[in-house]
Amino acid sequence: SYELTQPPSVSVSPGQTASITCSGDKLGDKYACWYQQKPGQSPVLVIYQDSKRPSGIPERFSGSNSGNTATLTISGTQAMDEADYYCQAWDSFHVVFGGGTKLTVL
Amino acid sequence: QVQLVQSGAEVKKPGASVKVSCKASGYTFTSYDINWVRQATGQGLEWMGWMNPNSGNTGYAQKFQGRVTMTRNTSISTAYMELSSLRSEDTAVYYCARGRDGDYDDYWGQGTLVTVSS
């Protein structure tokens, strides 16, 4: 079955750029999306179709997807961005989630 | 505004079944798929399956085949997810989400905690 791999944790200083990767076989041939989840809350879509931002998502969130890796980039990271981030893609009519990355802003 | 409102928390005994509802509002219910995702405490997101509310067609993750049933009642814009033969490992928060373009979920319900305990 298809798998997406994320680093368990990423740390970033406030104001710096955070990059979270998501790896999967030929992932660049599929659409990837990203969700942000804060403790006790439902996931929130922050990037869809590789690089599009839903309405209301700050411009500091951006995405790319090529080869075997999709990347979520947060520019000028703020304390409020501390959360778990999950990548997701579809494969053979099934949804696949990455294992999640805990972003720590310190 | 788009909303997905789920039913309340449930406590079930091992071997029982649970049925979680997801009431949609703010959009045409039959125009978008509904996905179901669960999350055990401290764990990641796990996809369970999808349903097309217009046709009733479904697709389930292999892990849940034979134990999960997704249905809908279009007259009240509500989707349901029923999971049978519950075991302790099924203790989790269950989410419904609106699927878009077969790619992503743009709105999520608030989640329903299902606890399986003897």
Side-chain angles (χ1 to χ4, degrees):
Chain A
S1 61
Y2 195 77
E3 294 185 358
L4 295 174
T5 302
Q6 299 181 234
S9 63
V10 168
S11 297
V12 64
S13 299
Q16 298 304 301
T17 297
S19 294
I20 300 173
T21 58
C22 173
S23 299
D25 185 49
K26 298 180 181 178
L27 179 57
D29 292 344
K30 311 174 191 299
Y31 275 136
C33 65
W34 293 88
Y35 301 97
Q36 175 194 70
Q37 187 180 34
K38 297 182 179 180
Q41 297 183 19
S42 301
V44 173
L45 180 71
V46 294
I47 293 290
Y48 68 99
Q49 292 180 350
D50 298 338
S51 58
K52 297 178 181 178
R53 271 181 299 104
S55 174
I57 299 301
E59 290 185 10
R60 63 179 181 273
F61 288 87
S62 62
S64 63
N65 185 16
S66 179
N68 294 322
T69 304
T71 303
L72 172 69
T73 302
I74 309 172
S75 305
T77 307
Q78 300 184 9
M80 69 173 65
D81 300 329
E82 187 163 286
D84 294 328
Y85 291 84
Y86 295 90
C87 62
Q88 181 221 292
W90 277 81
D91 178 76
S92 301
F93 303 102
H94 283 61
V95 171
V96 181
F97 286 103
T101 298
K102 181 175 181 57
L103 177 67
T104 301
V105 183
L106 42 66
Chain B
Q1 71 284 21
V2 174
Q3 280 192 303
L4 297 173
V5 178
Q6 299 182 222
S7 48
E10 303 260 15
V11 179
K12 295 293 184 180
K13 293 193 182 301
S17 296
V18 68
K19 191 171 186 177
V20 179
S21 68
C22 171
K23 183 172 177 59
S25 62
Y27 73 99
T28 301
F29 176 62
T30 50
S31 295
Y32 301 89
D33 290 348
I34 293 287
N35 284 295
W36 290 89
V37 175
R38 76 177 187 180
Q39 185 174 39
T41 301
Q43 302 300 307
L45 302 175
E46 181 175 34
W47 180 72
M48 300 181 69
W50 63 269
M51 182 191 65
N52 181 310
N54 185 45
S55 64
N57 289 345
T58 56
Y60 302 141
Q62 189 170 5
K63 176 177 179 176
F64 300 102
Q65 289 273 3
R67 276 211 306 147
V68 70
T69 304
M70 296 176 188
T71 57
R72 87 290 191 210
N73 183 335
T74 57
S75 67
I76 56 172
S77 300
T78 300
Y80 303 93
M81 186 284 300
E82 184 170 21
L83 188 63
S84 62
S85 302
L86 290 169
R87 33 205 187 238
S88 58
E89 310 89 88
D90 294 317
T91 295
V93 175
Y94 289 76
Y95 295 101
C96 62
R98 188 177 82 162
R100 293 296 306 274
D101 301 329
D103 276 321
Y104 58 96
D105 297 326
D106 59 353
Y107 289 93
W108 292 64
Q110 83 276 20
T112 297
L113 175 62
V114 175
T115 303
V116 183
S117 173
S118 54

